[in-house]
């Protein structure tokens, strides 16, 4: 099963390599990882998507807590939360199919952020299903390149992770 | 008070009551060595950084105090790696200082520059590259705190030259707060009650005690607990010396080379109390078959150990000493007599035995038993890794905690001898014996120079079967006796002459009748002694659980 973890870490040198190293040496699969600063100075937040069973997930959380720079690990998978990912997709397009692609983009409430003679870049924000759906539709044209930020997630309501 | 970074390090060591540091000097650690000479801290110089790291580890295991290591940058720090990994696997408290070139980062691939921070990430409890002299006092305070609390382990501090030279203010923090580090010592009372309930119903309980018993200082509580409820105790390799081997309730070691009765007891137990142990594959054999019918209670200070290898029916996170103290006040099993009788039957049907023929070759087990006899059981023992290590675990009687140091988790050949020097430094009044193999002793044999230089009277007993015995045994048993790279006869030095070359005493025993006199001679010699015990070459370690078999399927004797 795929789980989403929110991991608060101290913003210290090497903290990313500690977390990444833990996953790689214990053979845990990272599906995506996004890191950024939080409102609290010197504290960063990682959103990590992992593919694991329940037993492995328990180990992942415990092993993360063993890292001194890890402050808090929250499993958001079952919690009511909002999750998003931003994707930039470069599609081969010319005057012949640009309008068609534009229609798909509008339907998904995505954005065209760059147009060139033979290509366009589309920015999509959304959850995984939406991104998969638009990618599937765009694949009928030639997708030249895809960049994804990895998922970020936040709890709904006033509850916070501190 | 204003002072240089290096003076800050030395002042901090004084605050931490450090009396001994283990080091090898070099360009980026010369300053420290200079300062240490002025402070009242003994620094012991080894022949190789690996030796220094193992010695600090041995010192820590014998004394309970953290082992302190200094090395220079580059090869100085990479040579520590095996020593750090050994300590990490066995949860040994150490604080390691590595020198570093001008910058905190390896930007220019400077001379003797290596990214020791990254190299040691997976084998340290924590590590820090100090970027400013103002961070230094707190970083050191935190390192000592981390190394010696919770599940202990090695902590590394990388010190760039500029931090060593810069002038800073020495204010050593009394209290520290680390938001991401809060080891749990106090166990949950609800869990203790659950355990008591299960124990009260238990008919066939077994305590499976690991190194945590020794680290927690819980040996006395363990003895009281076992005696109060007549529960038999088996220990892991790391747990040896945590429960007296000669005790009527002692089952000896369990696992691959454990006693038959310990393994049978664990296999048939209805309740297993795992205390400070981690269900290593050498203990459990095939995991899916391990203690299938038992309720497993797992006590550990490290929450990540619980459920990692084997299911825990009742987990208790906390300090074992506290947990056992709580359990002592609760009800326990009512009558374990039939169970103990059953275990004694197993004991009778496959006893530990060897046959020392008076006119034959020396049996390795006989040498180990005689070391116990001749030292009246008072010696502190270290071992290398291999058959001699397993025979020591099987045949030596350990009576007091911290009297045994061996690389359990990593299985580091080359650990035992430098470690014995560290043990001797920590316990100058004790007799220290390193039981070694002829293969493993050679891995760090150069530290004979250290033992001689500092007049440390360690005794090395080489169980010399002229083979890498354990590998030979596996090739015999699992590779149809097709031997490869296990014969050491050719190319091995004359250990007696070698000892003499270093300025130590070298002795040799070739017949059983020579074993006792040679040991007596070694014990009456004030300096370091190396004894070459020429033992039977084909002797195997039995009983044995073949790899990935259930632990009740033991091979008890040679075919």
């Amino acid at each position: 099963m795929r789980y989403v973890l929110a991991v608060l870490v101290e913003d210290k040198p090497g903290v990313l390599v500690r977390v990444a190293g833990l996953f790689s040496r214990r053979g845990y699969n990272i599906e995506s990882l996004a890191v950024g600063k939080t409102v609290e100075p010197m504290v960063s937040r990682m959103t990590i998507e992992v593919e694991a069973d329940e037993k492995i997930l328990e180990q992942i959380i415990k092993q993360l807590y063993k890292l001194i720079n890890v402050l808090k690990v929250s499993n958001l998978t079952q919690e009511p939360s909002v999750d998003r990912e931003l994707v930039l997709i470069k599609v081969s397009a010319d005057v012949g199919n640009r309008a068609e692609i534009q229609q798909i983009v509008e339907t998904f409430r995505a954005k065209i952020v760059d147009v060139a003679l033979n290509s366009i870049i589309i920015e999509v924000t959304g959850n995984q299903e939406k991104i998969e759906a638009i990618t599937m539709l765009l694949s009928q044209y030639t997708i030249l390149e895809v960049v994804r930020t990895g998922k970020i997630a936040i709890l709904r309501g006033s509850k916070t992770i501190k | 008070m204003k002072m240089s970074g290096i003076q800050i390090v030395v002042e901090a060591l004084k605050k931490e009551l450090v009396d001994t540091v283990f080091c090898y000097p070099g360009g980026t650690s010369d300053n420290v060595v200079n300062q240490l000479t002025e402070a009242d801290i003994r620094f012991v110089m080894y022949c190789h950084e690996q030796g220094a790291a193992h010695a600090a580890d041995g010192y820590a295991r014998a004394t309970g105090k953290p082992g302190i290591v200094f090395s220079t940058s580059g090869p100085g720090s990479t040579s520590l790696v095996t020593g750090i990994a050994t300590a990490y696997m066995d949860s040994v408290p150490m604080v390691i200082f590595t020198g570093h070139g001008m910058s905190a980062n390896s930007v220019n691939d400077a001379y003797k520059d290596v990214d020791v921070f990254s190299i040691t990430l997976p084998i340290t409890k924590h590590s820090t590259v100090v970027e400013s002299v103002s961070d230094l006092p707190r970083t050191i305070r935190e390192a000592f705190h981390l190394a010696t609390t919770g599940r202990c382990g090695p902590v590394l501090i990388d010190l760039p030259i500029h931090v060593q030279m810069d002038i800073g203010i020495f204010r050593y923090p009394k209290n520290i707060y680390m938001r991401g580090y809060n080891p749990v010592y106090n166990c949950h009372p609800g869990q203790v009650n659950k355990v008591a309930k299960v124990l009260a119903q238990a008919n066939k309980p077994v305590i499976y005690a690991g190194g945590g018993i020794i680290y927690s200082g819980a040996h006395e509580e363990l003895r009281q607990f076992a005696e109060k409820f007549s529960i038999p105790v088996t220990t892991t390799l790391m747990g040896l010396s945590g429960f007296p081997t000669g005790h009527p309730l002692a089952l000896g070691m369990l696992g691959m080379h454990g006693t038959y009765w310990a393994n049978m007891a664990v296999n048939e137990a209805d309740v297993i109390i795992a205390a400070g142990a981690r269900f290593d594959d050498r203990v459990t054999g095939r995991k899916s078959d391990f203690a299938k019918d038992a309720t497993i209670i797992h006590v550990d200070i490290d929450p990540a150990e619980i459920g990692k290898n084997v299911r825990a029916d009742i987990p208790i996170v906390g300090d074992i000493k506290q947990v056992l103290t709580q359990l002592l006040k609760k009800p326990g099993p009512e009558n374990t007599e039939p169970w103990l009788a059953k275990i004694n039957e197993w004991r009778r049907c496959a006893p530990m035995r060897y046959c020392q023929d008076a006119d034959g070759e020396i049996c390795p087990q006989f040498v180990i038993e005689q070391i116990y006899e001749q030292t009246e059981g008072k010696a502190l023992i270290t071992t290398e890794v291999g058959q001699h290590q397993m025979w020591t675990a099987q045949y030596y009687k350990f009576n007091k905690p911290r009297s045994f140091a061996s690389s359990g988790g990593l299985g580091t050949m080359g650990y035992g001898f430098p470690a014995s020097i560290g043990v001797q430094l920590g316990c100058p009044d004790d007799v220290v014996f390193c039981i070694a193999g002829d293969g493993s002793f050679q891995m760090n044999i150069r530290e004979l120079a250290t033992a001689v230089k500092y007049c440390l009277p360690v005794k090395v007993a080489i169980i010399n079967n002229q083979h890498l015995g354990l590998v030979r045994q596996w090739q015999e048993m699992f590779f149809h006796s097709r031997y490869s790279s296990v014969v050491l006869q050719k190319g091995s030095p004359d250990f007696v002459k070698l000892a003499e070359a270093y300025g130590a005493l070298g002795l040799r025993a070739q017949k059983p009748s020579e074993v006792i006199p040679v040991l007596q001679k070694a014990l009456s010699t004030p300096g370091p002694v190396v004894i070459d015990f020429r033992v039977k070459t084909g002797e195997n370690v039995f009983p044995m659980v073949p790899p990935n078999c259930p632990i009740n399927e033991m091979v008890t004797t040679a075919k």
Side-chain angles (χ1 to χ4, degrees):
Chain A
M1 184 173 158
R2 191 169 285 195
Y3 293 92
V4 181
L5 302 178
V7 184
L8 292 186
V9 299
E10 288 178 294
D11 187 8
K12 295 239 171 115
V15 66
L16 181 61
V17 68
R18 282 183 204 279
V19 171
L22 170 68
F23 275 79
S24 76
R25 79 172 166 275
R26 293 198 181 261
Y28 307 145
N29 288 324
I30 299 185
E31 296 296 325
S32 78
L33 173 98
V35 198
K37 290 188 185 306
T38 63
V39 285
E40 196 181 341
M42 296 305 291
V43 174
S44 294
R45 175 159 166 162
M46 298 181 177
T47 307
I48 306 176
E49 266 189 292
V50 290
E51 187 67 44
D53 61 26
E54 219 167 290
K55 192 171 168 262
I56 301 277
L57 179 77
E58 187 189 324
Q59 263 300 305
I60 291 175
I61 294 172
K62 284 174 169 176
Q63 293 292 343
L64 279 169
Y65 268 122
K66 278 184 81 166
L67 300 176
I68 310 298
N69 297 139
V70 168
L71 304 175
K72 172 114 189 164
V73 185
S74 305
N75 180 0
L76 300 185
T77 320
Q78 310 291 350
E79 303 277 330
S81 59
V82 179
D83 65 75
R84 289 289 180 274
E85 183 171 17
L86 188 143
V87 184
L88 296 174
I89 308 170
K90 190 181 285 184
V91 181
S92 172
D94 54 27
V95 76
N97 55 13
R98 205 175 284 148
E100 226 176 288
I101 294 173
Q102 191 149 10
Q103 242 178 9
I104 297 175
V105 169
E106 274 166 21
T107 314
F108 279 89
R109 275 185 281 162
K111 266 192 280 184
I112 293 178
V113 290
D114 180 68
V115 181
L117 221 48
N118 296 316
S119 68
I120 56 174
I121 299 175
I122 299 155
E123 175 193 315
V124 198
T125 310
N127 60 21
Q128 200 159 341
E129 293 89 68
K130 178 175 164 181
I131 286 162
E132 270 168 24
I134 191 170
T135 312
M136 197 267 288
L137 278 173
L138 290 172
S139 62
Q140 60 186 308
Y141 315 100
T142 308
I143 294 178
L144 299 170
E145 201 175 347
V146 177
V147 195
R148 305 177 67 148
T149 57
K151 182 182 279 186
I152 53 169
I154 191 163
L155 289 174
R156 286 186 184 276
S158 58
K159 213 167 134 193
T160 57
I161 295 170
K162 276 189 211 163
Chain B
M1 207 178 142
K2 279 193 168 178
M3 55 180 80
S4 72
I6 227 51
Q7 283 171 313
I8 288 178
V9 172
V10 174
E11 288 307 311
L13 294 183
K14 285 191 202 161
K15 290 272 185 200
E16 295 290 347
L17 307 176
V18 170
D19 56 18
T20 308
V21 304
F22 301 83
C23 71
Y24 199 92
T28 60
S29 63
D30 273 352
N31 300 314
V32 189
V33 174
N34 268 320
Q35 286 294 327
L36 285 170
T37 4
E38 283 168 32
D40 197 16
I41 297 174
R42 169 174 56 172
F43 72 96
V44 185
M45 191 192 143
Y46 281 75
C47 296
H48 187 276
E49 287 86 355
Q50 187 188 350
H54 290 323
D57 171 314
Y59 172 91
R61 291 193 211 213
T63 63
K65 295 187 280 186
I68 314 301
V69 182
F70 279 90
S71 85
T72 191
S73 60
S77 46
T78 54
S79 292
L80 294 173
V81 168
T82 305
I84 300 172
T86 304
Y88 182 71
M89 286 295 277
D90 289 346
S91 312
V92 178
M94 275 171 44
V95 179
I96 301 123
F97 295 86
T98 51
H100 203 135
M102 279 314 285
S103 149
N105 306 312
S106 308
V107 271
N108 298 329
D109 297 321
Y111 177 62
K112 284 206 182 191
D113 195 3
V114 77
D115 180 6
V116 67
F117 175 80
S118 300
I119 291 172
T120 57
L121 267 182
I123 52 168
T124 49
K125 184 169 172 183
H126 192 59
S127 49
T128 311
V129 181
V130 185
E131 287 175 357
S132 157
V133 71
S134 60
D135 295 335
L136 201 45
R138 184 185 42 81
T139 305
I140 300 175
R141 178 78 179 83
E142 286 178 355
F144 274 85
H145 179 63
L146 287 167
T148 56
T149 56
R151 182 177 183 176
C152 298
V155 178
L156 184 134
I157 300 176
D158 197 29
L159 284 176
I161 279 276
H162 74 84
V163 174
Q164 300 182 26
M165 313 285 261
D166 285 353
I167 302 296
I169 294 167
F170 180 67
R171 202 175 291 128
Y172 205 57
K174 247 201 195 110
N175 302 310
I176 39 167
Y177 167 66
M178 301 178 77
R179 195 172 150 194
Y181 180 69
N182 302 292
V184 177
Y185 280 80
N186 298 325
C187 53
H188 194 285
Q191 295 300 90
V192 174
N193 287 335
K194 268 192 209 166
V195 171
K197 223 180 221 173
V198 168
L199 272 181
Q201 305 292 319
N203 295 314
K204 299 185 287 178
V206 172
I207 299 167
Y208 147 45
I213 291 291
I214 297 159
Y215 295 154
S216 154
H219 51 279
E220 193 47 39
E221 287 74 10
L222 174 63
R223 193 186 53 76
Q224 287 175 19
F225 178 68
E227 285 175 356
K228 181 171 179 188
F229 300 116
S230 295
I231 306 176
V233 180
T234 177
T235 63
T236 64
L237 182 73
M238 293 298 297
L240 289 173
S241 90
F243 191 75
T245 314
H247 195 284
L249 290 165
L251 305 181
M253 188 170 73
L254 80 164
M256 184 174 269
H257 289 298
T259 61
Y260 175 71
W261 55 91
N263 283 345
M264 290 305 286
V266 166
N267 191 54
E268 301 219 350
D270 60 0
V271 176
I272 293 175
I273 307 169
R278 60 187 177 88
F279 297 90
D280 180 80
D281 55 285
R282 285 294 187 269
V283 159
T284 60
R286 192 193 295 157
K287 289 216 164 68
S288 52
D289 290 311
F290 182 78
K292 277 192 285 201
D293 304 322
T295 302
I296 296 178
I297 298 157
H298 193 176
V299 187
D300 208 291
I301 198 147
D302 180 359
E305 282 308 334
I306 287 167
K308 187 178 86 177
N309 289 329
V310 165
R311 73 180 194 281
D313 299 304
I314 309 177
I316 304 189
V317 176
D319 179 27
I320 300 158
K321 196 179 168 93
Q322 292 199 19
V323 175
L324 289 175
T325 309
Q326 298 290 319
L327 284 173
L328 269 165
K329 297 178 202 151
K330 308 273 177 191
E334 274 174 18
N335 179 17
T336 60
E337 281 311 315
W339 174 231
L340 294 175
K342 174 88 186 151
I343 292 173
N344 276 334
E345 262 174 53
W346 286 319
R347 207 188 279 261
R348 275 192 297 274
C349 88
M352 295 299 296
R353 62 169 167 225
Y354 65 94
C355 180
Q356 178 62 70
D357 188 345
D359 303 320
E361 294 173 290
I362 301 174
C363 287
Q365 301 94 327
F366 175 68
V367 176
I368 287 158
E369 287 194 328
Q370 282 309 314
I371 293 172
Y372 176 85
E373 295 297 329
Q374 298 307 316
T375 58
E376 293 163 347
K378 287 178 188 151
L380 307 180
I381 303 292
T382 72
T383 72
E384 299 285 353
V385 169
Q387 285 183 316
H388 66 277
Q389 179 192 32
M390 291 298 105
W391 284 317
T392 305
Q394 292 176 333
Y395 288 92
Y396 198 88
K397 297 187 197 74
F398 293 97
N399 297 319
K400 58 176 178 189
R402 298 192 180 280
S403 59
F404 177 62
S406 188
S407 171
L410 197 67
T412 307
M413 290 170 72
Y415 167 80
F417 178 51
S420 72
I421 299 176
V423 171
Q424 187 78 77
L425 283 160
C427 309
D429 300 327
D430 287 281
V431 175
V432 179
F433 250 97
C434 167
I435 300 176
D438 48 317
S440 42
F441 180 49
Q442 292 192 61
M443 287 208 170
N444 278 316
I445 197 165
R446 54 183 166 244
E447 301 302 345
L448 269 171
T450 312
V452 170
K453 184 165 59 176
Y454 293 97
C455 304
L456 297 165
V458 288
K459 316 297 177 204
V460 183
I462 308 173
I463 307 298
N464 187 351
N465 54 13
Q466 301 175 42
H467 282 82
L468 291 179
L470 209 49
V471 186
R472 191 204 53 72
Q473 176 171 345
W474 279 52
Q475 292 182 354
E476 179 188 322
M477 292 176 71
F478 310 121
F479 295 91
H480 312 291
S481 301
R482 280 208 309 268
Y483 298 116
S484 168
S485 315
V486 291
V487 183
L488 297 177
Q489 219 160 359
K490 223 179 188 178
S492 275
D494 179 328
F495 290 109
V496 173
K497 281 188 186 161
L498 191 74
E500 284 164 1
Y502 275 105
L505 177 66
L507 300 169
R508 180 169 288 129
Q510 287 171 303
K511 289 187 286 194
S513 60
E514 291 168 354
V515 170
I516 294 169
V518 152
L519 281 170
Q520 285 169 343
K521 168 85 179 147
L523 285 166
S524 62
T525 303
V529 182
V530 175
I531 317 167
D532 184 17
F533 288 103
R534 292 302 179 94
V535 300
K536 240 171 153 173
T537 52
E539 188 74 3
N540 286 337
V541 184
F542 287 116
M544 178 178 190
V545 180
N548 204 30
C549 284
I551 57 168
N552 59 333
E553 289 178 16
M554 293 197 89
V555 181
T556 49
T557 48
K559 274 179 204 147

